[in-house]
Amino acid sequence: MSKIIDGKVISSRLREEIAREVEQLKKAVGRPPGLSVILVGEDPASQIYVRNKEKTAKELGFKSEVIRFPDTISENDLLRKIEELNNDQSVDGILVQLPLPEHIDEFKVTLTIAPEKDVDGFHPVNMGRLLIGKPYLVPCTPLGIIKMLDYEGIEIEGKKAVIIGRSNIVGKPVAILLLQRNATVTICHSRTRNLPDIVREADILVAAVGKAKFVKGDWIKEGAVVIDVGINRDENGKLVGDVDFEEAQKKASHITPVPGGVGPMTITMLMYNTLQAFKKHVGMEGEQ
Ligand code: NDP
């Protein structure tokens, strides 16, 4: 039986640390870190995400504001608002909740956010810095995965890591982070051949596919570490990951559950990134 990597426990420890640091810095700097979240439209999932982000930010002592726009806002007006926030000295982090309505170009939006305030880490400058080994703000989910592995004392160096998924927000950046920690990394995707055989070689498996229970128990190598990023509903409407948890936990040494694994870490890393952006903004050294 494997050890469950409890994202809620790790998150709450990290959040305590962040809150303590925010408290100290608030006194030293004279203001709290500021996070501005832009929400366009009424997408129900986005509303929940944004509400959780705002709630967590406030709990940790940040100044947090949610700027809501109807889905009829023009691209120009949205870009103008982002530029205003770029120039606002009380704002350290800017996040535009995705997805955006079709008439708005997401890439243009990402490009408009100042890289030093881009707490999602999606701006090409932040992505490029990550790639060349000079990270500034790193995408939250991949960063949360590395923090979980470190928290559990799981060695990365020299391990064979297999990532299923090559999205810009999860698969690619987590692959780069694992590579920088000296894992030997294989990235798989929908055109990969013999996927189960490749997964069977993984010491560390990261599943970021978006398909319920896609990874079967007999794909898992004995003693592997399994990180399940997926958030899916099964045929009964129950929240499940990309990995068949019941089966995989018989083989894995460590495994993340869904819910309660990677999910809570993502929002915690958003707070972590906002704190790093704040520290850099006020001339203190941030860290990754
Ligand atoms: P995307 O849909 O952007 O990417 C999915 C990836 O899976 C693609 O690279 C795709 O390959 C690959 N894929 C699809 N089908 C197969 C297949 N049959 N075999 C191998 N690879 C396949 O998803 P995201 O990366 O954005 O998210 C992945 C999952 O993680 C989702 O469930 C999402 O909800 C969840 N998520 C969870 C977060 C959290 O905080 N816990 C944060 C972000 C995402 P190809 O590129 O060839 O199409």
Side-chain angles (χ1 to χ4, degrees):
M1 266 307 191
S2 41
K3 179 176 192 301
I4 308 290
I5 305 180
D6 190 331
K8 280 195 245 162
V9 169
I10 303 172
S11 259
S12 71
R13 295 276 159 77
L14 294 174
R15 285 180 194 192
E16 280 164 22
E17 280 173 28
I18 293 170
R20 252 197 313 274
E21 207 177 340
V22 168
E23 187 61 34
Q24 285 165 2
L25 288 172
K26 227 190 309 193
K27 285 185 198 134
V29 177
R31 69 169 181 89
L35 173 65
S36 293
V37 178
I38 297 182
L39 175 60
V40 180
E42 307 282 333
D43 179 66
S46 294
Q47 306 247 17
I48 295 171
Y49 292 144
V50 166
R51 210 176 312 133
N52 286 338
K53 286 168 186 173
E54 188 186 23
K55 184 169 160 271
T56 310
K58 288 202 166 132
E59 278 167 8
L60 301 191
F62 292 71
K63 175 175 159 268
S64 159
E65 61 166 350
V66 177
I67 302 160
R68 292 184 166 78
F69 291 115
D71 57 10
T72 49
I73 187 175
S74 72
E75 186 179 275
N76 267 343
D77 284 351
L78 180 60
L79 298 182
R80 248 198 307 276
K81 183 65 197 178
I82 294 170
E83 270 156 14
E84 200 183 289
L85 295 172
N86 284 343
N87 296 320
D88 185 335
Q89 289 308 309
S90 71
V91 173
D92 304 286
I94 303 169
L95 181 154
V96 179
Q97 186 65 43
L98 302 177
L100 290 167
E102 262 177 26
H103 67 278
I104 298 175
D105 181 345
E106 278 185 10
F107 187 55
K108 246 192 222 171
V109 168
T110 303
L111 279 179
T112 305
I113 299 172
E116 62 276 15
K117 296 192 178 187
D118 165 41
V119 283
D120 257 340
F122 296 161
H123 192 287
V125 166
N126 283 317
M127 286 289 185
R129 292 188 64 129
L130 177 62
L131 192 64
I132 61 172
K134 304 228 174 281
Y136 195 74
L137 292 165
V138 175
C140 300
T141 303
L143 186 60
I145 291 170
I146 301 295
K147 297 273 181 197
M148 284 178 122
L149 294 173
D150 285 347
Y151 186 91
E152 293 292 332
I154 292 164
E155 202 183 6
I156 300 173
E157 181 159 329
K159 296 288 177 65
K160 189 156 190 353
V162 173
I163 327 293
I164 318 179
R166 56 175 164 180
S167 71
N168 289 329
I169 64 169
V170 189
K172 279 185 210 160
V174 81
I176 301 300
L177 287 171
L178 288 166
L179 180 65
Q180 271 155 8
R181 294 287 295 272
N182 299 318
T184 301
V185 178
T186 305
I187 307 174
C188 304
H189 46 78
S190 65
R191 316 292 165 88
T192 297
R193 293 186 190 161
N194 305 325
L195 180 67
D197 285 343
I198 297 170
V199 173
R200 280 186 192 108
E201 291 187 5
D203 301 311
I204 299 172
L205 171 68
V206 179
V209 192
K211 292 192 167 148
K213 299 185 181 179
F214 176 78
V215 177
K216 309 302 172 207
D218 69 351
W219 299 11
I220 307 295
K221 176 171 150 180
E222 200 69 49
V225 174
V226 177
I227 306 291
D228 191 349
V229 184
I231 304 176
N232 316 288
R233 298 265 169 204
D234 70 6
E235 57 285 359
N236 305 314
K238 190 174 156 241
L239 212 56
V240 295
D242 288 343
V243 177
D244 185 333
F245 182 85
E246 303 301 325
E247 290 300 315
Q249 72 165 338
K250 294 178 190 157
K251 307 278 281 296
S253 66
H254 298 74
I255 188 166
T256 61
V258 177
V262 176
M265 293 299 289
T266 297
I267 206 159
T268 302
M269 289 302 107
L270 174 66
M271 302 305 137
Y272 176 87
N273 273 352
T274 306
L275 179 57
Q276 301 315 316
F278 169 76
K279 281 158 75 173
K280 286 165 182 155
H281 190 184
V282 299
M284 292 167 159
E285 205 44 51
E287 59 184 71
Q288 273 321 317

